Amino acid sequence: MKPFILMLFMLLVTTVSPLQTHADKMPCTISLEPVNKSLKNTKGSALIYNVQLGSPPSFPRTNISILGVHLPNPSSYGQYDSYEGYATIPNEISWRFRMYPTPEEDGPTWAGRIDLITADMRNIKVQIRLSNAKLEKLGPPVLQGKINICK
């Protein structure tokens, strides 16, 4: 009787409980947290999903859209005048794109996106980094997050 109950239990466990794949399904979202922990109100998010652009639609690509709120004025860090979105698959490829401010009462919300990605979305690190737009110089990250697999 005990082997029967054990077999029944094992059958239920393997068929009823879902399998964990350790992969997020598209669309994926990443919470971006401040590098400097004293920036308590500074937060961000990144959305990763597939897009087909144009008419007729092109082959599928991946979009990364980034939003940052309560970011410090870039000039408070030195000779920076804006923010850029930065995404990388370490030791493989990286993308950077300009972020634009929206006028709001307590400072702007910064947002930007890129639609041209064709790489597999594995071990992606996403950041909002300081930028000097005139010199095209990328500065250090203010917010960052990571996701292992997004498919």
Side-chain angles (χ1 to χ4, degrees), residues 24 28-30 48 122-125 145-150:
D24 288 330
C28 299
T29 57
I30 303 170
I48 302 171
R122 297 177 181 274
N123 300 319
I124 308 136
K125 188 174 190 179
K146 186 177 179 184
I147 191 166
N148 290 330
I149 301 172
C150 181

Side-chain angles (χ1 to χ4, degrees), residues 66-72 74 81-84 98-102 104 107-112 128:
I66 299 177
L67 173 80
V69 295
H70 297 287
L71 291 163
D81 57 9
S82 63
Y83 286 99
E84 286 191 29
R98 190 165 180 196
M99 296 182 71
Y100 298 92
T102 59
E104 289 168 330
T109 295
W110 291 80
I128 295 178

Side-chain angles (χ1 to χ4, degrees), residues 1 11 17 23-24 26 29-31 35 41-42 58 61-62 67 75 82 86 96 100 117 120 123 129-130 141 146 150:
M1 182 72 171
L11 182 64
S17 65
D24 288 330
M26 283 213 192
T29 57
I30 303 170
S31 176
V35 174
N41 290 331
T42 305
S58 66
R61 299 172 193 195
T62 301
L67 173 80
S75 64
S82 63
Y86 181 81
R96 62 186 268 196
Y100 298 92
I117 300 170
D120 282 339
N123 300 319
R129 298 180 77 159
L130 292 157
K146 186 177 179 184
C150 181

Side-chain angles (χ1 to χ4, degrees), residues 126-138:
V126 179
Q127 300 175 326
I128 295 178
R129 298 180 77 159
L130 292 157
S131 175
N132 182 316
K134 293 177 187 112
L135 300 175
E136 296 184 8
K137 180 183 175 191
L138 192 60

